Amino acid sequence: MKIIMLGAPGAGKGTQAKQIADKYGIPHISTGDIFRANLKQGTELGKKAKEYMDQGLLVPDELTCDLVMDRIGQEDCKNGFVLDGFPRTIPQAEALDKALANINEKMDYAVDVDVPDENIVNRMSGRRACINCGATYHIVSIPTKVEGICDRCGEKVVLRDDDQPETVKKRLNVYHEQTQPLIDYYKKQDILRTVDGTQPMEQVFGAIVEILGA
Ligand code: AMP
């Protein structure tokens, strides 16, 4: 099964994508995670991506598309994958469709986790990420077992630069301008499914499983 997760930054699509990956045994591909891993390793790609990420802007399509096409061509993706944070622009969506069409494949579902803007800014201010392994938490809905310390690796968890309130507002604007048009794009392909992302996380997941099938 090949799934795209759509939704504003902070809508909870990453958390849902991880659960989908676990349940259906398919890889979770997050472009944000890939950029952050590159940043941590100090690669050229990481350095270039940081310039955009820190400002709440999108990394240019030419840096993003090849990376994803390489990843989905790998062996572990042959039974499907869940894309989280990609595509984020119409050209990215077209590049994805084209790459899949070349191998006679297409996406199965685009799941939009719908959350109004006013909820997003509040949610993001509670988000915390580990400075070492990148695991993400939320001070209310997914707290760490020990305050300020990552459950997974024991390092500090912090509010990421790109989750700072001013950057969040900018990311939301970018979302509305560049990513929201994908809703119509996938509606036209008849693969768009919308879930109410304001519900508790387990209910959002339940709604997604109903769409994808048990
Ligand atoms: P995320 O963790 O998905 O919110 O991504 C964090 C940041 O990485 C975004 O604000 C963008 O700067 C960058 N990014 C992630 N995915 C993409 C993409 N598909 N296209 C362009 N930039 C991206």
Side-chain angles (χ1 to χ4, degrees):
M1 188 149 37
K2 292 186 284 306
I3 306 157
I4 293 166
M5 298 304 289
L6 292 175
K13 60 184 185 308
T15 309
Q16 298 299 333
K18 279 182 207 134
Q19 290 192 48
I20 294 170
D22 282 350
K23 180 170 170 70
Y24 296 95
I26 49 178
H28 167 217
I29 303 174
S30 154
T31 38
D33 284 353
I34 296 174
F35 287 134
R36 281 185 288 275
N38 273 273
L39 192 61
K40 201 171 158 220
Q41 289 157 13
T43 67
E44 271 313 303
L45 174 67
K47 284 180 202 154
K48 279 190 197 145
K50 182 177 164 54
E51 291 171 29
Y52 299 92
M53 291 168 80
D54 281 353
Q55 296 182 64
L57 300 173
L58 293 186
V59 177
D61 290 340
E62 55 274 25
L63 291 181
T64 311
C65 287
D66 288 354
L67 180 99
V68 175
M69 302 320 151
D70 277 358
R71 180 66 190 87
I72 64 176
Q74 286 169 20
E75 185 61 22
D76 63 338
C77 290
K78 69 177 192 310
N79 292 325
F81 46 81
V82 51
L83 292 176
D84 164 17
F86 182 94
R88 259 179 157 103
T89 65
I90 296 280
Q92 289 181 10
E94 287 170 348
L96 176 65
D97 280 350
K98 203 168 148 205
L100 289 174
N102 282 341
I103 51 168
N104 277 326
E105 302 261 0
K106 61 183 188 54
M107 293 306 300
D108 296 305
Y109 292 105
V111 178
D112 178 31
V113 182
D114 186 33
V115 177
D117 281 10
E118 50 273 25
N119 300 31
I120 298 279
V121 181
N122 287 338
R123 276 191 192 197
M124 299 284 269
S125 60
R127 208 143 94 149
R128 296 291 180 271
C130 175
I131 53 168
N132 178 48
C133 72
T136 50
Y137 301 91
H138 190 280
I139 52 174
V140 178
S141 51
I142 325 169
T144 50
K145 293 196 180 96
V146 179
E147 197 185 325
I149 301 294
C150 179
D151 293 352
R152 208 201 281 168
C153 75
E155 267 291 354
K156 258 201 318 200
V157 297
V158 298
L159 186 67
R160 273 188 346 218
D161 284 346
D162 60 345
D163 287 342
Q164 300 289 343
E166 277 316 302
T167 318
V168 169
K169 283 184 198 143
K170 205 187 272 177
R171 288 171 70 193
L172 272 175
N173 286 340
V174 168
Y175 169 76
H176 289 302
E177 275 168 24
Q178 300 191 57
T179 308
Q180 215 170 14
L182 293 178
I183 305 267
D184 265 346
Y185 182 91
Y186 290 115
K187 206 183 272 174
K188 280 188 194 130
Q189 290 191 4
D190 208 17
I191 61 167
L192 181 78
R193 304 288 183 275
T194 304
V195 294
D196 174 2
T198 63
Q199 309 173 91
M201 268 181 328
E202 310 74 55
Q203 285 180 29
V204 178
F205 187 59
I208 294 175
V209 171
E210 243 175 63
I211 291 165
L212 304 180

